[in-house]
Amino acid sequence: MTQSVVVQVGQCGNQIGCRFWDLALREHAAVNKKGIYDEALCSFFRNVDPRSDDDGADISRGKICSLKARALLIDMEEGAVNEILQGPLRDVFDSKQLITDVSGSGNNWAVGHKVYGCQYRERIVEKLRKTAEHCDCLQCFFVIHSMGGGTGSGLGTFVLNVLEEEFPEVYRFVTSVYPSREDDVITSPYNSVLAMKELSEHADCVLPIENESLFDIVSKIDQMTKCGKLGSSVKQASLVTSSGMKTTKEKPFDAMNNIVANLLLNLTSSARFEGSLNMDLNEITMNLVPFPRLHYLVSSLTPLYTLADVNVPSRRLDQMFSDAFSKDHQLIRADPKHCLYLACALLVRGNVHVSDLRRNIERLKPALNFVSWNQEGWKTGLCSVPPVGHSHSLLALANNTCVKSTFLELKERFMKLYKKKAHLHHYLHTDGMEQSCFSEALSSLSDLIQDYNQLDVMNCGPAVDPPRLKIAM
């Protein structure tokens, strides 16, 4: 059985990570009734004997003793991490898994990447190695961060570089939350474009997620709940993980963060549970990434829900497949049906048969525009364990040129500031930061957009037969 490690960086990364671990424990508790430490738990959790030495000896089998998340929590402000350590998840982490500072990165990519990156590199490497040593077969690092802030964008992409240098054979999946147009961080376009260059060069797969899409989805769920279309009852003990206490009032971003956490739960379900058609994480990169830099995968979830066990009526199976390709279910604001697919993966959970998968793919194919050289570019996975409270669910991952719209909007916002050289001095006063960093990042983003443009152009319109040679008589 393989293991994965989650590296959560910055306030956003740690808040999403907190929701992931909470929902993951609930999911395993629903399946693992006897409290046995099994292979499913081993993929993301250690079973530790707290009575042993400082580091805790791993217990490979038998009863669950003390579960510790395979995770590293990094933030240059202590707030989000301290909140986790004071909450119901406090026993899942210990001080050896934390790297924090007090002053923050001041919404500045250069401070996170150049200053804190250099300052904390040795500690980051040491803790990553320690975490990796506890794995029998480390397969993947999941990095969770935001693009708009200083720590998430700057230090988050620095950690990505470190992972490539220190663990070149281990896959690097990055969940990146992109800021909205109304973002209150004025410099977020700079931070995002500078981070994009690092993502394009050092990640194996990036799952871009837009704050605006998450907000739209949460608003839609709230509206459906108010109209009575969704049940909203939640089991009494479901809002906490390891303790029996009731939770405090839900925070404003919890619902949005839960959606991202559910994405990660579905993505990793085949690594954690059995299924008739399990999809390994390395199969995602192998089948969905035909070119090294075009590794940005557009994700969609169905059914839409924000809690693991909210009572949502089951969607009809065929409707669930249709929803996955609807623009209303995408985690970025784009419509993949009107753009070009390079490849697509469907990860289904629950009591669904291979025949159901094939039937729905054949039904949907005529409406989807696949690139000419990969008309059968589908990858499918079936995990027998559904999310808590559901009979089945579906995560679709599409390598689709619709992601270009997110990048074009980001470039436009970047240029508005960069043309005026506004706020540039805050970055250039940082040691190791030069203006060439901006021009190189902009060039990298422009090249990426052009790569998607070329695919669209090459694939548009019907194929035309070459002109025949005319022979003069």
Side-chain angles (χ1 to χ4, degrees):
M1 193 69 163
T2 60
Q3 293 87 40
S4 296
V5 172
V6 175
V7 184
Q8 41 201 68
V9 188
Q11 180 179 348
C12 175
N14 278 291
Q15 287 174 342
I16 292 172
C18 178
R19 304 310 307 137
F20 169 77
W21 294 111
D22 184 11
L23 300 183
L25 282 169
R26 264 191 260 182
E27 212 169 71
H28 284 281
V31 176
N32 191 336
K33 303 289 188 185
K34 295 181 179 178
I36 302 296
Y37 183 66
D38 55 12
E39 286 191 345
L41 274 169
C42 176
S43 58
F44 278 89
F45 294 92
R46 296 170 58 208
N47 189 25
V48 174
D49 183 355
R51 297 167 300 177
S52 64
D53 59 22
D54 288 345
D55 201 27
D58 282 19
I59 304 168
S60 60
R61 57 189 59 172
K63 283 278 187 183
I64 293 171
C65 192
S66 175
L67 290 178
K68 296 292 180 186
R70 299 188 190 275
L72 179 58
L73 285 61
I74 304 172
D75 199 1
M76 295 299 98
E77 291 178 4
E78 295 178 308
V81 172
N82 283 344
E83 207 169 305
I84 294 171
L85 297 181
Q86 291 163 11
L89 287 172
R90 58 187 173 274
D91 295 331
V92 181
F93 307 101
D94 59 45
S95 59
K96 299 177 191 66
Q97 295 172 269
L98 316 175
I99 297 177
T100 60
D101 205 297
V102 292
S103 56
S105 299
N107 297 325
N108 189 326
W109 181 90
V111 174
H113 198 89
K114 303 287 186 181
V115 177
Y116 285 127
C118 295
Q119 185 177 333
Y120 283 95
R121 190 186 193 285
E122 285 187 17
R123 283 184 62 189
I124 291 169
V125 170
E126 177 195 346
K127 290 184 184 295
L128 285 171
R129 283 179 180 163
K130 208 74 173 169
T131 307
E133 285 170 7
H134 290 295
C135 300
D136 295 325
C137 183
L138 177 58
Q139 183 183 35
C140 185
F141 285 104
F142 288 95
V143 180
I144 311 172
H145 74 130
S146 72
M147 300 288 279
T151 300
S153 68
L155 191 54
T157 52
F158 181 87
V159 169
L160 185 62
N161 297 0
V162 169
L163 291 174
E164 185 179 42
E165 290 172 11
E166 299 291 329
F167 305 91
E169 303 303 315
V170 181
Y171 289 100
R172 298 173 297 282
F173 276 65
V174 186
T175 303
S176 303
V177 180
Y178 284 68
S180 64
R181 276 188 174 273
E182 288 74 37
D183 189 65
D184 60 355
V185 178
I186 294 172
T187 54
S188 67
Y190 283 162
N191 296 332
S192 300
V193 172
L194 289 163
M196 278 284 297
K197 179 177 181 290
E198 306 299 318
L199 292 179
S200 294
E201 293 178 358
H202 303 292
D204 289 308
C205 269
V206 179
L207 304 174
I209 293 162
E210 290 184 0
N211 262 329
E212 285 183 66
S213 268
L214 295 178
F215 182 80
D216 290 346
I217 289 171
V218 170
S219 299
K220 187 180 303 165
I221 293 170
D222 288 345
Q223 190 63 36
M224 291 169 78
T225 303
K226 287 172 186 171
C227 294
K229 292 181 181 177
L230 291 182
S232 57
S233 59
V234 181
K235 296 173 189 173
Q236 205 60 51
S238 68
L239 291 179
V240 291
T241 304
S242 52
S243 65
M245 305 179 302
K246 289 186 181 180
T247 185
T248 54
K249 187 179 177 183
E250 190 178 68
K251 298 178 200 68
F253 293 106
D254 274 355
M256 293 166 67
N257 292 337
N258 279 340
I259 292 170
V260 185
N262 283 321
L263 157 67
L264 293 170
L265 285 176
N266 282 285
L267 179 64
T268 60
S269 60
S270 282
R272 296 181 293 120
F273 302 115
E274 291 183 354
S276 57
L277 194 64
N278 267 8
M279 187 191 299
D280 208 2
L281 290 167
N282 64 351
E283 294 181 79
I284 294 175
T285 55
M286 180 63 69
N287 289 274
L288 265 63
V289 182
F291 308 109
R293 282 169 56 84
L294 304 187
H295 54 234
Y296 294 86
L297 306 182
V298 179
S299 50
S300 62
L301 280 170
T302 178
L304 292 175
Y305 56 93
T306 57
L307 286 168
D309 46 7
V310 67
N311 292 333
V312 179
S314 294
R315 301 287 275 167
R316 292 197 327 273
L317 193 61
D318 287 9
Q319 184 61 49
M320 185 177 77
F321 280 89
S322 297
D323 287 345
F325 295 90
S326 158
K327 66 177 182 179
D328 294 334
H329 286 251
Q330 309 303 315
L331 299 192
I332 66 169
R333 297 186 102 183
D335 189 354
K337 286 177 82 171
H338 292 136
C339 295
L340 181 67
Y341 282 87
L342 306 186
C344 184
L346 301 176
L347 289 81
V348 187
R349 300 182 63 182
N351 186 22
V352 181
H353 302 290
V354 175
S355 58
D356 297 320
L357 260 175
R358 289 176 180 157
R359 186 185 75 254
N360 276 285
I361 288 174
E362 290 303 316
R363 178 176 66 84
L364 292 163
K365 265 169 70 173
L368 304 176
N369 183 22
F370 269 73
V371 70
S372 58
W373 40 262
N374 198 23
Q375 289 288 305
E376 301 300 321
W378 296 86
K379 183 65 185 171
T380 53
L382 283 176
C383 172
S384 57
V385 178
V388 178
H390 300 274
S391 58
H392 44 250
S393 71
L394 169 62
L395 167 65
L397 296 175
N399 196 334
N400 188 291
T401 58
C402 71
V403 75
K404 178 179 66 176
S405 61
T406 298
F407 303 154
L408 282 166
E409 183 181 300
L410 183 58
K411 182 181 176 181
E412 178 192 331
R413 293 174 58 211
F414 175 93
M415 290 307 298
K416 282 182 180 176
L417 291 175
Y418 192 57
K419 280 178 181 175
K420 301 292 184 184
K421 300 294 185 280
H423 301 284
L424 215 57
H425 61 288
H426 298 302
Y427 292 79
L428 300 181
H429 288 164
T430 305
D431 285 345
M433 191 70 183
E434 299 175 359
Q435 194 159 333
S436 60
C437 295
F438 285 87
S439 56
E440 288 169 10
L442 178 60
S443 176
S444 173
L445 180 59
S446 298
D447 290 346
L448 186 65
I449 292 168
Q450 185 57 27
D451 287 343
Y452 285 109
N453 279 335
Q454 286 179 349
L455 285 166
D456 278 332
V457 169
M458 285 167 57
N459 216 69
C460 68
V464 179
D465 289 331
R468 293 172 182 266
L469 181 65
K470 292 182 180 178
I471 302 173
M473 301 296 290

